[in-house]
Amino acid sequence: MVNFEWYRTFKAIYKTGTLTNAAEVLFISQPGVSLHLSALENYVGYKLFVRSGRKMIPTERAKVLYNFIAEALNKLEEAEKMFQRSTEKNTPTISVGMCFETFQITLEQFISSLPFNIIIQFGLYPEMIESLEKGILDLIITPQMVVKNGIDYQEFSKETIVLIGGKDIDSNEFNAILKNQNLHEVEEWLKQQKWYGNTGDMEHLRKFWQINFNKNPDFRPNYIVPNINSIVRCLSSGMGLAVVPDLFCKNEIKNGTIQLIWEGNNPLINKLYFASRKKNEHSAEINLIKEKFLSLLK
């Protein structure tokens, strides 16, 4: 008999495009994702994805399977959420979506003090917006605004995508090169350094390079680690560079564990939003989460 979790994993891989992203969405290990996919492929008797670099490309059979089960899976997930709520008469359950790194530096610190139940979901922002619309999520912390009639966005902060380095990086050498205003020399110096990246994607590095050098980076990081917070901790060893949102490294820059190397000639700034449904029965609980969140960003 097929396991429902195999289908859920298949959907996550299909939607996110990689085993790593699927693991983050499902909050399970990557080997667990691979095991589920292998079991489903053995069950149906054919390959569902073809690996191309880091991407998982769905086969034609996979597309047919996805179109056949997608609606049913969505209904089952909604049923899970609604059933859980219907059995909790006294203590509400609030579901919150955000990236894993944001959770680590914010809600993780005070989650046990909240006077209600809470479910944290990690994933891609477009999917979380979809879950918010359907009532699966109650609140999202997101840098992306997807205009929907029933969704309310509240800007609460901004983050700047910055170049950071270990404390042993010679920033004086870099600043001397930067002072010459020769972008080619700046780029060449940067490319000679050791770089950190995360397993999810290279979106921050790509955008930073495009806005400052008018092209995509033509190199890959030397060290790939699980997430942005891992990058910051690795850089505290002294060497290396990375491009990350300053939200995740302000304290480390302030205490000298790492260095702020460059904000770029054209700073790349993201607005951060609280997103919630305009009609929500748990507005008091959502407002409390917002207050806690804002208190940590002061």
Side-chain angles (χ1 to χ4, degrees), residues 42 73 144 170 196 238 259:
N42 288 335
L73 278 175
Q144 299 178 10
D170 189 351
Y196 284 89
Q259 298 183 73

Side-chain angles (χ1 to χ4, degrees), residues 129-264:
I129 290 294
E130 186 178 330
S131 294
L132 183 64
E133 271 194 297
K134 293 179 177 179
I136 298 172
L137 289 173
D138 299 301
L139 176 69
I140 298 174
I141 288 82
T142 174
Q144 299 178 10
M145 177 185 285
V146 182
V147 178
K148 302 281 187 178
N149 288 333
I151 304 298
D152 180 62
Y153 288 90
Q154 176 189 345
E155 181 184 338
F156 68 89
S157 186
K158 294 179 181 179
E159 62 180 13
T160 303
I161 310 303
V162 297
L163 173 67
I164 60 173
K167 61 182 182 298
D168 295 333
I169 289 287
D170 189 351
S171 57
N172 291 327
E173 180 184 356
F174 175 74
N175 289 331
I177 297 172
L178 191 62
K179 196 172 182 179
N180 294 331
Q181 298 184 343
N182 186 323
L183 286 179
H184 177 71
E185 289 184 5
V186 172
E187 184 183 21
E188 287 305 308
W189 186 91
L190 291 174
K191 288 164 62 175
Q192 291 172 17
Q193 311 305 309
K194 297 293 186 180
W195 281 82
Y196 284 89
N198 67 302
T199 52
D201 57 58
M202 299 297 150
E203 188 70 11
H204 294 132
L205 176 59
R206 184 181 63 79
K207 286 184 177 179
F208 187 87
W209 223 259
Q210 285 178 338
I211 201 170
N212 287 290
F213 301 111
N214 297 314
K215 59 182 177 180
N216 288 324
D218 59 357
F219 66 95
R220 296 286 296 176
N222 305 87
Y223 313 116
I224 303 296
V225 298
N227 55 60
I228 295 174
N229 292 332
S230 298
I231 292 175
V232 174
R233 288 193 294 270
C234 288
L235 285 175
S236 66
S237 65
M239 296 300 294
L241 297 175
V243 171
V244 302
D246 62 354
L247 177 66
F248 302 113
C249 57
K250 285 182 177 179
N251 291 334
E252 289 78 5
I253 292 173
K254 186 176 181 180
N255 63 31
T257 305
I258 62 175
Q259 298 183 73
L260 173 60
I261 304 296
W262 190 33
E263 290 189 353

Side-chain angles (χ1 to χ4, degrees), residues 6-233:
W6 300 351
Y7 283 138
R8 199 199 297 266
T9 299
F10 165 74
K11 174 189 172 184
I13 300 171
Y14 191 96
K15 296 286 286 185
T16 66
T18 71
L19 297 178
T20 300
N21 287 342
E24 291 181 356
V25 168
L26 298 168
F27 202 43
I28 62 176
S29 67
Q30 186 171 319
V33 170
S34 298
L35 185 63
H36 286 179
L37 176 59
S38 177
L40 182 59
E41 288 180 330
N42 288 335
Y43 181 82
V44 298
Y46 46 78
K47 295 290 290 183
L48 295 171
F49 295 94
V50 176
R51 188 184 295 273
S52 176
R54 293 181 177 274
K55 299 290 288 183
M56 298 292 285
I57 309 300
T59 63
E60 291 303 314
R61 288 177 178 269
K63 293 175 183 178
V64 173
L65 177 62
Y66 177 79
N67 289 331
F68 192 82
I69 68 171
E71 185 177 353
L73 278 175
N74 289 335
K75 288 182 177 180
L76 282 172
E77 288 169 352
E78 289 178 36
E80 284 182 333
K81 180 69 182 295
M82 296 305 295
F83 176 78
Q84 183 178 30
R85 284 191 171 173
S86 66
T87 59
E88 293 168 352
K89 297 180 180 179
N90 299 319
T91 305
T93 295
I94 309 301
S95 293
V96 183
M98 68 186 78
C99 74
F100 177 69
E101 294 93 336
T102 300
F103 172 70
Q104 282 190 309
I105 67 170
T106 55
L107 284 180
E108 189 177 63
Q109 302 177 45
F110 62 79
I111 192 170
S112 63
S113 68
L114 295 173
F116 45 82
N117 300 326
I118 188 164
I119 298 172
I120 304 296
Q121 179 174 315
F122 308 127
L124 302 177
Y125 296 116
E127 289 190 0
M128 287 195 283
I129 290 294
E130 186 178 330
S131 294
L132 183 64
E133 271 194 297
K134 293 179 177 179
I136 298 172
L137 289 173
D138 299 301
L139 176 69
I140 298 174
I141 288 82
T142 174
Q144 299 178 10
M145 177 185 285
V146 182
V147 178
K148 302 281 187 178
N149 288 333
I151 304 298
D152 180 62
Y153 288 90
Q154 176 189 345
E155 181 184 338
F156 68 89
S157 186
K158 294 179 181 179
E159 62 180 13
T160 303
I161 310 303
V162 297
L163 173 67
I164 60 173
K167 61 182 182 298
D168 295 333
I169 289 287
D170 189 351
S171 57
N172 291 327
E173 180 184 356
F174 175 74
N175 289 331
I177 297 172
L178 191 62
K179 196 172 182 179
N180 294 331
Q181 298 184 343
N182 186 323
L183 286 179
H184 177 71
E185 289 184 5
V186 172
E187 184 183 21
E188 287 305 308
W189 186 91
L190 291 174
K191 288 164 62 175
Q192 291 172 17
Q193 311 305 309
K194 297 293 186 180
W195 281 82
Y196 284 89
N198 67 302
T199 52
D201 57 58
M202 299 297 150
E203 188 70 11
H204 294 132
L205 176 59
R206 184 181 63 79
K207 286 184 177 179
F208 187 87
W209 223 259
Q210 285 178 338
I211 201 170
N212 287 290
F213 301 111
N214 297 314
K215 59 182 177 180
N216 288 324
D218 59 357
F219 66 95
R220 296 286 296 176
N222 305 87
Y223 313 116
I224 303 296
V225 298
N227 55 60
I228 295 174
N229 292 332
S230 298
I231 292 175
V232 174
R233 288 193 294 270

